Amino acid sequence: MKQSELFTKVAREAPKDEVALNAKLLARGGFSYKNSAGVYSYLPLGWRVMKKIEGIIREEMDAIGGQEMFMPTLHDKHYLKATGRWGVDVVFKVNDAAGKEPPFSLGWTHEEPVSEIAAHYVSSYKDLPFAAYQFQTKFRNEPRAKSGLLRGREFLMKDLYSFHASEGDLFEYYARVAEAYKKIFARCGLTAHYTVAAGGDFTVSHTHEFQVIAPAGEDTIYLCGKCGYAENKEISKLEDGAACPQCGGPVGAKQAIEVGNIFPLGTKYSEAFNLRFADERGEKKYVAMGSYGIGVSRVMATIVEVSNDQNGIIWPESVAPFRAHLLALPGADGAGAYAALQKEGVEVLYDDRELSAGEKFAEADLVGIPWRIVASPKLGGDTVEVKRRGKAGAGRPASLSEAIALVKTGKES
Ligand code: ATP
Ligand code: MG
């Protein structure tokens, strides 16, 4: 894409009302726009990143047999009333006429609707197990709105729900989801620690969170420096410097961002929606369920929090809005290089605007695309300069075809 045609622009200053680094950098780069507190638009560059993250999650969900679907945002009140969650403080209510009790809530999570749907289709043990997921906007009236896109009042979540004939089968699948989550976060360039976390009224045991160490994190976890075992402070009896209950190694308190959370729900929701199946002997039993969330927008914001320098964002290749950023410096023509990159199937943002070299470099650093290719009048004919974002020093000269090969493989020859 030609940058001259991109409707957003890079800003020198961050919006005054943003305090979180992720929100500042994403706003300056033209990735997101804050419509109101905790409510963001994803602009073309940001939406490309979101789609990349979504693509990684989708591949891993499909690999464990998840069936993608899409449920409503507007939830009739009978759903939350059935599980006693109508009164949960973060739930937004929607009126259709003044003065009456609101007939709807906005989806903040989807256990209730999915349980009712499952009850419509499940009758026998032969109908189990299965798992279904969606990417959907969730609404939560979050009191704290200082964390930028880490904590939206409206945000994109992937939520997966699984349905089983026994608790044993649920926990087997739970472990598979945990493995899928590890792959997802690693592919997004994040180190996420599998962390024991609080259960709740609706779970059969502890839950597990995936926590990324970052100063901006709102959670505190106790992480073993030796084996990686981690517990959320909310449930932990550990303290800073304690011995790891698994291996005896040193445990340290860390600030962390929860990017994912998995819940063994058991039968609480199936009881509320009469989700039952007949077992081999014809005996009616409640379905055991699991629920598994990842905040897609929070993942994007987390990547920004942990992958940046004083000049801006450093996107991992797997989620970058483009793979290459082609800069044509004043007096150079980048059209040939642009055509060649496109022909080779490289996703490229082509800075064809009339700006000084300094401005182009500064903006490119802020936007954070992994590979920078520079066409300059100082370089002869077919030569460009290629540089990895985040790598110190100047770019190195290369022929256009060498540069393309480098960008495509990601390997310095
Ligand atoms: P938190 O403890 O951060 O409030 P939660 O435990 O209430 O989150 P879950 O209901 O477990 O969140 O949601 C699943 C995932 O959705 C979380 O792991 C997180 O990645 C994401 N998420 C939750 N709340 C938000 C939010 N307000 N903004 C963006 N992402 C969110
Ligand atoms: Mg959670």
Side-chain angles (χ1 to χ4, degrees):
M1 173 174 204
K2 287 184 179 168
Q3 209 164 344
S4 60
E5 288 168 4
L6 189 66
F7 83 82
T8 61
K9 291 182 177 64
V10 169
R12 231 166 274 232
E13 303 287 332
K16 290 203 172 51
D17 58 341
E18 292 287 18
V19 289
L21 181 63
N22 70 83
K24 286 182 180 171
L25 289 176
L26 288 167
R28 286 186 60 204
F31 292 89
S32 64
Y33 176 86
K34 179 160 143 184
N35 296 91
S36 61
V39 180
Y40 291 89
S41 293
Y42 307 104
L43 303 173
L45 289 178
W47 192 237
R48 290 180 75 97
V49 175
M50 294 279 279
K51 286 282 169 195
K52 295 269 172 80
I53 298 168
E54 193 179 290
I56 290 170
I57 298 173
R58 180 175 288 114
E59 280 180 19
E60 300 299 342
M61 290 296 99
D62 290 348
I64 55 168
Q67 303 176 38
E68 188 168 358
M69 64 187 290
F70 190 78
M71 288 182 275
T73 288
L74 216 45
H75 294 186
D76 183 89
K77 65 169 179 270
H78 81 270
Y79 287 110
L80 293 185
K81 293 237 163 164
T83 52
R85 298 209 288 183
W86 180 250
V88 169
D89 53 358
V90 296
V91 173
F92 280 108
K93 308 281 171 61
V94 181
N95 256 325
D96 63 352
K100 289 201 299 183
E101 185 185 41
F104 298 108
S105 60
L106 292 179
W108 68 298
T109 177
H110 281 72
E111 282 83 6
E112 286 87 349
V114 81
S115 302
E116 189 187 84
I117 295 167
H120 186 72
Y121 292 102
V122 171
S123 57
S124 149
Y125 69 95
K126 291 178 189 154
D127 300 324
L128 298 167
F130 71 94
Y133 73 98
Q134 63 173 351
F135 291 94
Q136 229 254 14
T137 301
K138 300 285 195 256
F139 296 85
R140 294 185 186 184
N141 198 356
E142 300 274 5
R144 305 171 280 180
K146 285 210 172 75
S147 298
L149 284 84
L150 289 174
R151 185 171 294 285
R153 298 170 84 201
E154 175 177 334
F155 61 96
L156 190 66
M157 195 201 283
K158 182 284 303 173
D159 41 332
L160 169 78
Y161 304 91
S162 70
F163 302 84
H164 309 269
S166 68
E167 216 170 77
D169 194 58
L170 160 62
F171 277 103
E172 234 170 77
Y173 192 73
Y174 189 85
R176 287 181 68 197
V177 178
E179 286 309 308
Y181 271 36
K182 284 178 194 164
K183 287 186 198 158
I184 288 166
F185 297 122
R187 287 180 65 184
C188 290
L190 294 172
T191 302
H193 301 281
Y194 189 62
T195 304
V196 184
D201 295 349
F202 284 85
T203 58
V204 284
S205 70
H206 282 135
T207 69
H208 291 88
E209 295 168 342
F210 290 80
Q211 295 276 3
V212 174
I213 306 300
E218 293 177 2
D219 286 14
T220 304
I221 66 166
Y222 292 111
L223 176 67
C224 173
K226 201 170 153 201
C227 74
Y229 176 78
E231 292 183 359
N232 193 307
K233 188 181 178 181
E234 285 173 8
I235 55 123
S236 187
K237 291 187 178 72
L238 298 169
E239 51 188 40
D240 202 37
C244 171
Q246 302 283 308
C247 76
V251 162
K254 310 269 182 208
Q255 288 312 111
I257 302 168
E258 176 200 315
V259 284
N261 201 177
I262 60 178
F263 304 81
L265 296 174
T267 58
K268 295 270 169 62
Y269 292 90
S270 38
E271 285 171 39
F273 289 93
N274 196 30
L275 168 53
R276 295 193 296 166
F277 67 99
D279 72 7
E280 287 91 332
R281 281 181 261 123
E283 204 180 307
K284 291 268 195 184
K285 286 185 175 155
Y286 287 111
V287 171
M289 289 174 58
S291 158
Y292 318 85
I294 295 180
V296 182
S297 40
R298 187 180 284 185
V299 167
M300 174 166 79
T302 302
I303 294 168
V304 173
E305 289 285 345
V306 301
S307 186
N308 64 73
D309 62 14
Q310 70 281 2
N311 299 323
I313 303 170
I314 305 173
W315 292 111
E317 282 174 1
S318 57
V319 302
F322 291 90
R323 193 169 176 89
H325 201 165
L326 170 65
L327 315 187
L329 301 191
D333 184 6
Y338 182 49
L341 282 156
Q342 281 187 310
K343 194 167 159 244
E344 288 293 317
V346 176
E347 286 182 287
V348 53
L349 181 63
Y350 170 29
D351 189 353
D352 58 335
R353 302 167 306 161
E354 287 181 16
L355 288 178
S356 72
E359 285 169 310
K360 288 197 176 196
F361 287 136
E363 291 199 3
D365 277 351
L366 182 68
V367 171
I369 291 169
W371 292 96
R372 189 183 77 187
I373 299 174
V374 178
S376 156
K378 286 190 202 141
L379 299 164
D382 194 32
T383 308
V384 292
E385 218 176 65
V386 58
K387 183 175 183 285
R388 188 93 168 79
R389 174 71 181 95
K391 218 175 160 195
R396 77 168 173 86
S399 71
L400 182 57
S401 56
E402 246 184 299
I404 291 174
L406 179 58
V407 168
K408 277 179 82 169
T409 60
K411 287 191 193 83
E412 304 265 1
S413 53

